[in-house]
Amino acid sequence: KAGVTQTPRYLIKTRGQQVTLSCSPISGHRSVSWYQQTPGQGLQFLFEYFSETQRNKGNFPGRFSGRQFSNSRSEMNVSTLELGDSALYLCASSLVGTSGETQYFGPGTRLLVL
Amino acid sequence: KNEVEQSPQNLTAQEGEFITINCSYSVGISALHWLQQHPGGGIVSLFMLSSGKKKHGRLIATINIQEKHSSLHITASHPRDSAVYICAVNPTPGGGGADGLTFGKGTHLIIQP
């Protein structure tokens, strides 16, 4: 089975722009979660989608949004980029997203905001 | 105060040594995960625990739910074990924790040949 894929792998944007990141889960997985990793804050949960519905949301401003499609692929969008949004964005998939499940992580998208 | 605390933050050891990384958490949880992150960013899930002990190869993970504590052990450590090891918990709903996985800051492990 192919693993979790994320595109693009690297991205450079300027302040004020918006960005869309994509995540394709492992085939058959219906839950996709997104995480932000920065040197200062470490890994933080952004949101989780299951069957096209947002099931959980972390403590991030409304500039961060996401969606999930019927094929379980997910996108996250960050509008009005700030310098502090520079980070590694990781997605992870699991079958149904319960707490008793292993999560499978993608390689991440490294975003640099100038 | 972080909900998930790891120790030590950094650890350098010689090849062959027995390694222990600790994780303490302050909220009710339904599961605890140990993750490994290599330079370059990729994260691999090592263990998911809700009780007791699990073993995979040279890695052993234990959890004590009453004491809110987990340990990750590496036996016969090898330079390829050098990575960041991250503890993460699934807080139980209404248990005082945030939604979604909550992570520790990680332990940077270097195994020297």
Side-chain angles (χ1 to χ4, degrees):
Chain A
K1 258 188 188 176
V4 178
T5 58
Q6 290 187 245
T7 56
R9 294 292 309 280
Y10 304 93
L11 205 48
I12 300 175
K13 292 285 189 180
T14 56
R15 277 182 301 173
Q17 286 187 309
Q18 75 162 13
V19 67
T20 299
L21 312 181
S22 180
C23 172
S24 292
I26 290 172
S27 176
H29 285 191
R30 293 165 62 192
S31 169
V32 175
S33 297
W34 287 90
Y35 304 93
Q36 182 196 65
Q37 187 176 34
T38 60
Q41 297 297 319
L43 274 160
Q44 297 182 90
F45 170 73
L46 278 158
F47 26 66
E48 181 201 1
Y49 285 87
F50 177 77
S51 291
E52 302 178 64
T53 301
Q54 188 180 88
R55 191 155 67 176
N56 274 317
K57 190 178 191 313
N59 189 26
F60 278 81
R63 300 185 297 107
F64 292 81
S65 62
R67 58 178 176 168
Q68 187 180 33
F69 302 94
S70 58
N71 62 357
S72 294
R73 188 177 71 86
S74 178
E75 289 181 347
M76 68 162 280
N77 184 77
V78 188
S79 62
T80 320
L81 283 166
E82 301 177 0
L83 296 179
D85 297 331
S86 295
L88 179 66
Y89 290 89
L90 292 150
C91 77
S93 75
S94 60
L95 278 169
V96 292
T98 65
S99 61
E101 278 193 301
T102 296
Q103 294 219 352
Y104 295 86
F105 286 81
T109 293
R110 198 166 292 277
L111 171 66
L112 177 62
V113 182
L114 301 175
Chain B
K1 183 183 186 301
N2 289 334
E3 293 174 351
V4 181
E5 298 277 356
Q6 282 186 241
S7 64
Q9 284 187 320
N10 299 284
L11 179 57
T12 300
Q14 295 298 120
E15 183 174 356
E17 286 189 36
F18 181 82
I19 303 298
T20 296
I21 300 171
N22 295 300
C23 175
S24 296
Y25 52 92
S26 58
V27 297
I29 69 167
S30 53
L32 181 143
H33 303 253
W34 281 104
L35 310 171
Q36 180 192 57
Q37 186 172 32
H38 281 282
I43 292 180
V44 174
S45 179
L46 298 174
F47 294 103
M48 192 278 299
L49 294 159
S50 54
S51 65
K53 177 179 175 178
K54 286 190 177 180
K55 184 176 189 290
H56 185 259
R58 295 180 295 106
L59 301 178
I60 303 166
T62 64
I63 187 168
N64 185 318
I65 296 292
Q66 287 72 32
E67 294 186 3
K68 292 186 165 61
H69 182 269
S70 176
S71 293
L72 175 69
H73 306 286
I74 305 175
T75 62
S77 59
H78 190 276
R80 64 176 175 266
D81 297 325
S82 299
V84 177
Y85 292 83
I86 302 168
C87 172
V89 300
N90 286 104
T92 50
D99 286 334
L101 274 179
T102 302
F103 298 86
K105 296 293 188 191
T107 295
H108 293 248
L109 174 66
I110 297 173
I111 305 296
Q112 294 178 334

